[in-house]
Amino acid sequence: MAIDIGRKMLFFLVLCLTQALVLNRMHLFGCATPLLYVYMTIIFPYRYPRWGVILWSFFLGLVIDFFSNTPGVASASLTLVGAVQTGFFGLFVQRDAPENIAPGVSSMGFFKFTFYAFVLVLLHCTLFFTLETFSFFNVIQWIKCIVGSTAITLILILTIESLRKK
């Protein structure tokens, strides 16, 4: 148990530093910003307590908000994804699956994992950019930000999944 928490803390730290020092400075085409930190919330195991997922997600979002100067935006959107993640992943788990099954290409298959990650990343990006702009004055720019950020984040997540240990 202590090793699991230590690994999660290290992964938490790596994601926060990567987002704050590298990815927050990338704005492809003026609207697509990779939001890779959502990956930590996406890969929580099936039997992990929902309150634990929500707590990890909230604190990850809080740290990202602190370093990105987006007060409450990342924490709110990531907390929602954390609340939805456990139930949504349950739709992909078979009844005879092991209790410690975690989302990934190796456990779900490429297409199922891609769909699973796409839905959760889209949910996160939609709420994130809705809270960040807080107006629908420029709807086209808002949609470009959501679509672009979802696409680039999903590409990064699938790249990490392909490099992850099987």
Side-chain angles (χ1 to χ4, degrees):
M1 184 70 174
I3 293 174
D4 183 47
I5 291 174
R7 282 185 182 165
K8 287 203 185 320
M9 293 285 276
L10 181 65
F11 193 53
F12 181 95
L13 184 65
V14 167
L15 279 177
C16 287
L17 289 174
T18 303
Q19 186 68 40
L21 298 175
V22 178
L23 299 177
N24 279 347
R25 290 163 176 48
M26 293 175 59
H27 302 291
L28 301 173
F29 308 112
C31 58
T33 303
L35 304 172
L36 187 60
Y37 56 87
V38 73
Y39 180 61
M40 182 174 177
T41 302
I42 287 176
I43 62 168
F44 273 100
Y46 180 58
R47 296 288 182 198
Y48 205 84
R50 180 171 277 177
W51 64 268
V53 176
I54 292 172
L55 203 62
W56 275 103
S57 300
F58 174 73
F59 283 119
L60 178 61
L62 199 62
V63 170
I64 295 298
D65 281 334
F66 179 76
F67 286 115
S68 302
N69 198 21
T70 55
V73 174
S75 58
S77 56
L78 205 57
T79 302
L80 177 69
V81 172
V84 170
Q85 185 266 346
T86 307
F88 188 61
F89 181 51
L91 298 175
F92 295 94
V93 176
Q94 297 175 356
R95 291 181 189 254
D96 59 343
E99 287 190 19
N100 62 348
I101 188 169
V105 172
S106 59
S107 62
M108 297 172 70
F110 180 76
F111 293 109
K112 283 184 181 180
F113 179 76
T114 303
F115 178 73
Y116 165 79
F118 171 74
V119 169
L120 291 178
V121 170
L122 180 64
L123 175 68
H124 177 262
C125 289
T126 302
L127 186 60
F128 183 89
F129 288 109
T130 301
L131 292 174
E132 187 180 51
T133 58
F134 209 64
S135 84
F136 294 107
F137 181 71
N138 194 350
V139 176
I140 302 299
Q141 182 66 22
W142 175 71
I143 291 172
K144 283 181 186 179
C145 287
I146 292 171
V147 171
S149 295
T150 300
I152 194 73
T153 303
L154 190 62
I155 289 169
L156 286 174
I157 287 173
L158 291 175
T159 303
I160 291 172
E161 271 297 310
S162 70
L163 299 175
R164 205 167 132 192
K165 278 189 200 176
K166 306 278 186 223

